[in-house]
Amino acid sequence: MTLSEENYLKAIFNLEEQTHKGVPTNAIAEMMETKASSATDMVKRLSEKDLLKYKPYQGTRLTPKGKSHAVKVIRKHRLWETFLVENLDFTWDEVHEVAEQLEHIQSDKLIHQLDKFLGYPKTDPHGDPIPDEEGNIAKIEKKVLAELQQEDEGVCVGVDDSSSAFLKYLDKLDISLGNKIKVIEKEAFDNSMVIQVEENTISISSLASKNIYVRKTS
Amino acid sequence: MTLSEENYLKAIFNLEEQTHKGVPTNAIAEMMETKASSATDMVKRLSEKDLLKYKPYQGTRLTPKGKSHAVKVIRKHRLWETFLVENLDFTWDEVHEVAEQLEHIQSDKLIHQLDKFLGYPKTDPHGDPIPDEEGNIAKIEKKVLAELQQEDEGVCVGVDDSSSAFLKYLDKLDISLGNKIKVIEKEAFDNSMVIQVEENTISISSLASKNIYVRKTS
DNA sequence: CTTAATTTTTAGACAAAACTAAAAATTTGT
DNA sequence: ACAAATTTTTAGTTTTGTCTAAAAATTAAG
Ligand SMILES: [Mn+2]
Ligand SMILES: [Mn+2]
Ligand SMILES: [Mn+2]
Ligand SMILES: [Mn+2]
């Protein structure tokens, strides 16, 4: 399995998770930041290797084999992200780029020992679940912050958008995983919110509140 | 700089260190376990990028730029090997293969932080010096064990042959870095030696004693 | 239900990195 | 010095992964 094949598998896995339908070639190309013709080529190659099912003009779907491989790459990605933050003083907005490379290192022992070294973490620095050695992914109970009502309380458990820009914005607002969040006010006009994060009271836009996940506590 | 280019640079660097002469194409091919024609192709590409000087039929020599890049890769390789042994319970014969992959990860911050995390180690698990951030490589004072005379004493500081087979053999004899070694007897007939390693007295072949480095202590 | 817009695929090229086979240059042996 | 052996380079293919341009299929609009 080449680096490029693994990146495509991961992209297709994520797209399939979101929509639960066959993934269009264009969607793959967009996620991979490449051209549709390149995506078609790759999809054919992966189909040849039984990693996905592909029929021209209909989307593609991963086979169990393809899914299993994608999950392994995701496991590695998230374990490495955890290592970078926990042990090498990376911030949560810096890890993705490096993990994107580290996820392709081939060594079962390496990843098994890394998991052990980290103390078998359940989630990565963005709150995403780390698949176990058998490929099981725990489902994290979460709601998007925008859906909470006035007076509702919750704990921040993840983000939808893991872009560096958004994560840095959250840092500036002092919002991080595990923080207690309470909705003080919802503005009907633009769907912005006034929320209390731990001690601080701040206002956030609708766009931001749609990208923050919470576990409701009341 | 691609993965393959980096591996060639490293190979050429090592060959040039040994002989201090222009490196023949065949030597490169042999070290890279490839064909001479492939080596020629690559050498041309690297020459194009000013990483080495190449004139057909005369050997190649790295430019300062090429040398500096090779040393960076070696630094990464040795830091990762150290991490694998110190933190992930790898043995010294298992690390090379994985480090061969990890050495190509591109991230200045990653390697800087890894170095810090490890406590700025001076040598890797095989006793080889770890280049510093500026590319300086400490010269380790060492002598090949075979050269010691009867009654001489020393400390094991490295190996010449880092192959898994040889390292496992050393493990079986309970020889590792830092061990006190004393020459009890030298057999003129086949150049084998009887040595005392810490508590144990063992006999080793000429071939083995030529691949063990010691720092003489008496 | 046709035409227009969009999506997807095909065809043809290109760069990186490898290979085999053959030619050319260099070195060695007598 | 000349032939033989060795080393090195060239020429021509192959595979992976990308691209542009053009053709074909599908979907959307009037
Ligand atoms: Mn990746
Ligand atoms: Mn993540
Ligand atoms: Mn390598
Ligand atoms: Mn080493």
Side-chain angles (χ1 to χ4, degrees):
Chain A
M1 186 81 34
T2 70
L3 186 143
S4 196
E5 286 175 334
E6 287 191 338
N7 285 334
Y8 271 95
L9 277 187
K10 214 177 43 149
I12 297 166
F13 179 87
N14 285 329
L15 290 164
E16 207 176 336
E17 283 294 278
Q18 279 166 38
T19 65
H20 296 280
K21 273 185 284 189
V23 181
T25 304
N26 259 1
I28 299 171
E30 195 182 350
M31 178 145 295
M32 292 298 299
E33 297 179 82
T34 184
K35 298 300 157 72
S37 53
S38 304
T40 303
D41 285 350
M42 180 55 90
V43 154
K44 280 180 185 168
R45 264 200 299 280
L46 294 173
S47 168
E48 207 59 40
K49 297 187 182 184
D50 280 314
L51 292 158
L52 51 79
K53 290 283 171 217
Y54 161 73
K55 291 231 182 94
Y57 295 102
Q58 298 157 230
T60 64
R61 311 189 88 113
L62 295 182
T63 60
K65 194 173 155 190
K67 224 168 261 183
S68 148
H69 198 102
V71 170
K72 275 182 193 146
V73 178
I74 289 167
R75 170 170 158 81
K76 290 195 273 183
H77 185 105
R78 293 181 181 167
L79 282 172
W80 280 116
E81 283 189 342
T82 305
F83 171 69
L84 295 174
V85 167
E86 295 288 308
N87 300 100
L88 302 193
D89 295 322
F90 276 63
T91 54
W92 68 345
D93 60 288
E94 293 174 321
V95 295
H96 187 77
E97 192 189 340
V98 184
E100 205 52 50
Q101 299 177 59
L102 285 163
E103 70 189 357
H104 303 292
I105 304 290
Q106 310 293 135
S107 165
D108 288 344
K109 175 158 187 177
L110 173 62
I111 208 65
H112 181 267
Q113 291 294 107
L114 183 63
D115 195 14
K116 185 179 175 185
F117 174 81
L118 297 169
Y120 306 106
K122 295 267 175 301
T123 61
D124 81 359
H126 310 109
D128 294 314
I130 299 175
D132 69 18
E133 218 151 18
E134 283 75 46
N136 307 302
I137 310 180
K139 185 95 190 237
I140 281 167
E141 189 206 322
K142 63 188 179 186
K143 243 187 151 131
V144 54
L145 172 57
E147 284 172 19
L148 294 209
Q149 299 308 315
Q150 204 155 329
E151 296 294 298
D152 282 353
E153 294 184 56
V155 172
C156 176
V157 294
V159 292
D160 187 51
D161 171 5
S162 279
S163 73
S164 175
F166 182 58
L167 296 173
K168 275 183 178 149
Y169 172 67
L170 292 183
D171 281 344
K172 203 156 63 183
L173 298 183
D174 256 313
I175 300 178
S176 52
L177 292 193
N179 280 174
K180 238 186 290 183
I181 295 180
K182 181 175 180 180
V183 180
I184 307 296
E185 217 185 317
K186 284 186 85 170
E187 181 53 68
F189 160 61
D190 62 357
N191 293 309
S192 69
M193 279 178 150
V194 176
I195 61 175
Q196 189 181 329
V197 182
E198 300 284 332
E199 308 303 298
N200 311 319
T201 302
I202 56 173
S203 164
I204 62 170
S205 71
S206 157
L207 182 61
S209 71
K210 274 190 249 169
N211 279 304
I212 297 171
Y213 291 125
V214 294
R215 175 167 41 74
K216 240 186 113 184
T217 51
S218 82
Chain B
M1 185 82 35
T2 70
L3 185 145
S4 195
E5 286 174 334
E6 288 191 336
N7 285 335
Y8 270 95
L9 277 187
K10 214 177 43 151
I12 296 166
F13 179 88
N14 285 328
L15 290 165
E16 207 176 336
E17 283 294 278
Q18 280 166 37
T19 66
H20 295 281
K21 274 185 281 188
V23 182
T25 305
N26 258 2
I28 300 172
E30 195 182 349
M31 178 146 295
M32 292 299 299
E33 298 181 78
T34 182
K35 296 302 157 70
S37 54
S38 305
T40 302
D41 285 351
M42 180 56 89
V43 154
K44 280 178 182 168
R45 265 199 300 278
L46 294 174
S47 168
E48 207 59 42
K49 297 187 181 183
D50 279 315
L51 293 159
L52 50 80
K53 290 283 170 214
Y54 161 73
K55 292 233 182 87
Y57 295 104
Q58 297 158 229
T60 63
R61 312 188 86 113
L62 295 183
T63 60
K65 194 172 155 192
K67 224 168 260 182
S68 146
H69 198 101
V71 170
K72 273 180 195 146
V73 178
I74 289 168
R75 170 171 157 81
K76 291 194 273 182
H77 185 104
R78 293 182 181 166
L79 282 172
W80 280 118
E81 283 190 343
T82 305
F83 171 69
L84 295 175
V85 167
E86 295 288 307
N87 301 100
L88 301 192
D89 295 322
F90 276 63
T91 54
W92 67 346
D93 60 288
E94 293 174 320
V95 294
H96 188 77
E97 192 189 340
V98 184
E100 204 54 50
Q101 300 177 58
L102 286 163
E103 69 187 0
H104 304 291
I105 304 291
Q106 312 293 144
S107 165
D108 288 344
K109 174 157 188 177
L110 173 63
I111 208 65
H112 181 267
Q113 291 295 108
L114 182 63
D115 195 14
K116 185 179 176 183
F117 174 81
L118 296 170
Y120 306 106
K122 295 268 175 301
T123 60
D124 82 359
H126 310 108
D128 295 313
I130 299 175
D132 70 17
E133 218 151 18
E134 283 75 45
N136 307 301
I137 310 181
K139 185 97 188 238
I140 280 168
E141 189 206 324
K142 63 187 178 184
K143 243 188 148 125
V144 53
L145 173 58
E147 284 172 19
L148 293 208
Q149 299 307 315
Q150 203 156 329
E151 295 296 298
D152 282 353
E153 294 184 55
V155 173
C156 176
V157 294
V159 292
D160 187 53
D161 170 7
S162 279
S163 73
S164 175
F166 182 58
L167 296 173
K168 274 183 179 151
Y169 171 66
L170 292 183
D171 281 345
K172 204 156 62 184
L173 298 182
D174 256 314
I175 299 178
S176 52
L177 292 192
N179 280 174
K180 237 187 291 183
I181 295 181
K182 182 175 180 180
V183 179
I184 306 296
E185 217 185 316
K186 283 185 84 169
E187 181 51 69
F189 160 63
D190 62 356
N191 293 309
S192 70
M193 279 177 149
V194 176
I195 60 175
Q196 190 181 326
V197 182
E198 299 283 334
E199 309 303 299
N200 310 319
T201 302
I202 55 172
S203 165
I204 62 170
S205 71
S206 156
L207 182 63
S209 70
K210 276 190 251 169
N211 279 305
I212 298 173
Y213 291 124
V214 293
R215 174 168 43 74
K216 240 185 112 184
T217 51
S218 81

